[in-house]
Structures are given as structure tokens and as C-alpha cells.
Amino acid sequence: MRQIRGGWLHCRSQMTVHLTVFTKQSGLCRVQKAMVFRSAVTRYKGLRLPSQTVARAMSSSGGATPPYTTLAISRPTESITHVELHRPEKRNAMNSAFWSEMVTCFNELSEDPECRAVVVSGAGKLFTAGIDLMDMMNNVLQPEGDDTARISWGLKKKIRKFQETFSVIEKCPKPVVVAIHGACVGAGVDMITACDIRLCTQDAWFQVKEVDIGLAADVGTLQRLPKVIGSQSLVNELALTARKMYADEAKSSGLVSRVFADKEAMMAGALEIAGEIAGRSPVAVQGTKINLIYARNHSVADGLDYIATWNMSMLQTEDLMKSAQAALEKKSPKTKTYSKL
């Protein structure tokens, strides 16, 4: 997002950007903006959610956010965090720094009581071109070790480290909405399958590219994509042929839930969904995500037992009464204020 250097900035006649918050990080100042709209857009906890004007601002970030070099982090509203892949000059290819920065970022978001929902997108002309092959060449093709056994152990450790880059998204209790425009190639598919809600533009396309570069996908696609799509035959076709899947097929197969005309409309849609999530009880929302993932990986009987154990403590929350009161009053639960979690 564009940085504001003090004072007031008036964007058109309907939006006032204020409350410039300075936070020191690694000796640098980071500027974050809370935006309040006068126009009749969806309300969220006393603030009004961003419209397409904010989506445009979010898509024009001035650069990565220190201490990160591959990510731009912003807060379009009090409880929504926007994580933007930010190497547009390299088509958001995933270099060595990216793999560790994503882990740091999502571990922090997991523990941040202010954050209730996350939107992930890519800067520039496309979402991501996948692994930065030139940058990663030394890591993979020149492993260290005195013999085959030690080289193999070292490679396994590296692969597990790369896997954690996307598993950390799934482990984050805050729901993650990913917005994909243009190409989503290779490791990009690994990443989006770890997200909770997937949206794309009409010009988006997806490619499980790994067989074309001589390897089997090893950071999540082969494990998560079958559970996302539900058609093993289609997954096999995509993974074994590396053919492209375009937006219409991605929607009909269940890879994405919505397709938008362009990036601006998609970002507005992503923020609207994130706002709906953020406005509800964080106890209910985070418990729902955790139990959905548990149920996916376990039997129905195990899932029922897990949620019973979960709710025997989580039902003892004031959020339940607040949400019930909103229902009785025929109001949205977003009209209630829930404590941070």
C-alpha cells in the first residue's frame, strides 16, 4: 500500500484515510493505515470494510515490508492482514528468502490477537511463477554430505523445511483467503491448496509444473490437491501431464469457489469475505477451521469425538451468548464486539 507521510490524505470525496500508525521494526518505521469510508459499504466493528478503492491501493504496494524482502504486509482494516507476494520484477518467483519469510510471517499472524483473517495475493502481472530455479539451484542440486546416506538426510531436512513454508498456512488458526490472478505455477499450486478459500480472476491459470522439470511435487500439491478437487483422475491428469487448468475448469472442479472479471474486483471480493469472517466470534471461527482440517484427515467418528472434546471447553465462552443475542434481535453477529483471542 502507498505510504502516507503524516497528515490527512483525501482520496476522492468519499474516503478519508487516517490514523497513521508507526511501528518500529528492525530499526525502521513501518506505516500502517486504517481506512474509514463515508460511503455505504459493509460495516465491520465500527469500521467500514474496504471497497474496490482499497483493493487498488493494496495492489500497488511500494515494496516489501521490512524485515521481509519478498512479502508486503498491510492492515486494510483493524482485524484483516494482507500478505502480498512481492517480487513483481521476478514474477513473484519463490527464492531462498521467501521460504523462511513465509514461516516467520504466518507464525506471527497465528499469535497476533489483532488478526482475525488473512488475505494473500501477488503483486504485479501474475500471482507466482513458482520456484525461482536459478536462486534455488545450489540448495537442491549441490547438497552437502560425505556419502549418499548423509547427502540424503540433508536433502530430507531441506525438503521438510520447504514443506513447512506452506504447512504453516494450514496450521495458522486464522482463515486464509487467497486471491489468484494470472499464472499460478508449480509451488504456487502447493501454496494455494494450503489456504482455506481460493478465488481467482477470469484470466487465471494453474499448472502443476514439477514433472516438466524432472521431479515429483514435494511440498503439498500431491497430498492436498486430491482432497481439494475430489477427482483423483483429474488430479492425476494435471500432475502427470503438467497441462494448464484455466479459471472456468478450476471453478467447476472445486479448486476455486469464485471467479472475478479482474484483479480489482477479486481483491474487493476477497476483502469482503475476510470481513465477514473477521466480524464473527474468533472462538467460533478458529475452532471451525481447526476442526475442518482435522475432519479432512480423520474418520467421521474421530472427527465427531474431536469436536466433542473441543466444544466441552469452547462452549464456555461469552461469544455464544453474544451471537445468540444477535440472532434473537435479527441482527448480524458482526454487530457484536468480541474479545481478542
Side-chain angles (χ1 to χ4, degrees):
M1 299 181 72
R2 292 175 295 129
Q3 289 189 344
I4 303 176
R5 301 180 184 278
W8 294 83
L9 176 65
H10 295 279
C11 296
R12 305 190 179 185
S13 62
Q14 297 195 354
M15 181 177 71
T16 302
V17 181
H18 68 254
L19 189 57
T20 305
V21 182
F22 293 91
T23 57
K24 289 190 177 292
Q25 190 171 44
S26 300
L28 297 173
C29 276
R30 185 172 67 193
V31 182
Q32 297 179 319
K33 303 185 288 293
M35 299 192 174
V36 179
F37 289 78
R38 293 176 183 155
S39 56
V41 294
T42 307
R43 290 182 180 273
Y44 166 63
K45 292 198 67 172
L47 295 178
R48 297 176 187 260
L49 280 178
S51 67
Q52 292 187 349
T53 306
V54 181
R56 283 196 295 270
M58 289 174 64
S59 301
S60 58
S61 173
T65 306
Y68 304 114
T69 60
T70 66
L71 305 174
I73 314 299
S74 59
R75 279 277 171 86
T77 75
E78 179 185 354
S79 297
I80 300 173
T81 301
H82 179 213
V83 178
E84 184 180 52
L85 312 187
H86 208 282
R87 297 185 74 213
E89 73 287 352
K90 296 291 185 181
R91 301 186 300 169
N92 295 324
M94 302 171 183
N95 62 2
S96 298
F98 168 85
W99 297 90
S100 59
E101 289 182 1
M102 281 288 286
V103 175
T104 301
C105 174
F106 274 88
N107 280 338
E108 290 181 355
L109 293 178
S110 294
E111 300 298 325
D112 182 358
E114 300 285 351
C115 175
R116 295 188 181 181
V118 182
V119 174
V120 175
S121 69
K125 296 181 178 180
L126 51 83
F127 182 70
T128 179
I131 291 176
D132 188 331
L133 288 174
M134 297 303 294
D135 183 82
M136 299 293 290
M137 201 74 73
N138 290 337
N139 264 331
V140 178
L141 297 185
Q142 297 181 10
E144 297 178 355
D146 294 334
D147 55 28
T148 301
R150 288 168 176 79
I151 291 173
S152 298
W153 274 102
L155 275 174
K156 182 180 180 180
K157 290 179 181 178
K158 288 182 179 180
I159 294 170
R160 292 304 299 268
K161 180 180 178 181
F162 295 150
Q163 290 173 345
E164 183 63 14
T165 296
F166 303 141
S167 292
V168 75
I169 298 173
E170 194 171 78
K171 293 175 184 177
C172 176
K174 321 300 172 66
V176 180
V177 181
V178 63
I180 305 129
H181 74 290
C184 177
V185 179
V189 178
D190 292 284
M191 181 171 73
I192 67 169
T193 56
C195 298
D196 302 296
I197 298 171
R198 289 168 292 278
L199 314 174
C200 77
T201 55
Q202 190 62 55
D203 68 349
W205 54 272
F206 307 82
Q207 187 175 24
V208 184
K209 184 70 172 174
E210 283 80 355
V211 292
D212 279 357
I213 57 174
L215 59 91
D218 57 4
V219 289
T221 289
L222 302 186
Q223 294 70 38
R224 295 188 178 100
L225 190 59
K227 299 179 185 297
V228 169
I229 289 180
S231 169
Q232 189 64 53
S233 178
L234 179 56
V235 171
N236 292 350
E237 179 188 345
L238 295 170
L240 294 172
T241 67
R243 78 164 175 84
K244 295 178 181 179
M245 172 188 274
Y246 293 93
D248 290 342
E249 186 181 8
K251 186 175 187 301
S252 65
S253 68
L255 179 59
V256 301
S257 54
R258 297 192 198 179
V259 177
F260 294 84
D262 53 39
K263 185 179 181 183
E264 182 180 318
M266 176 183 63
M267 292 305 299
L271 288 168
E272 181 181 359
I273 292 172
E276 290 294 323
I277 294 169
R280 286 162 167 78
S281 159
V283 173
V285 166
Q286 295 180 37
T288 297
K289 171 173 178 173
I290 290 168
N291 277 274
L292 281 170
I293 293 173
Y294 186 91
R296 181 197 66 187
N297 298 329
H298 296 79
S299 69
V300 172
D302 287 344
L304 288 170
D305 184 63
Y306 191 79
I307 188 62
T309 303
W310 182 273
N311 267 357
M312 72 183 190
S313 56
M314 292 300 123
L315 288 177
Q316 301 180 64
T317 172
E318 63 179 11
D319 293 13
L320 187 63
M321 294 304 298
K322 289 181 178 180
S323 298
Q325 183 182 4
L328 291 172
E329 295 171 350
K330 301 185 184 305
K331 296 179 179 179
S332 168
K334 294 188 297 180
T335 62
K336 301 298 179 181
T337 299
Y338 299 99
S339 299
K340 297 174 184 178
L341 181 63

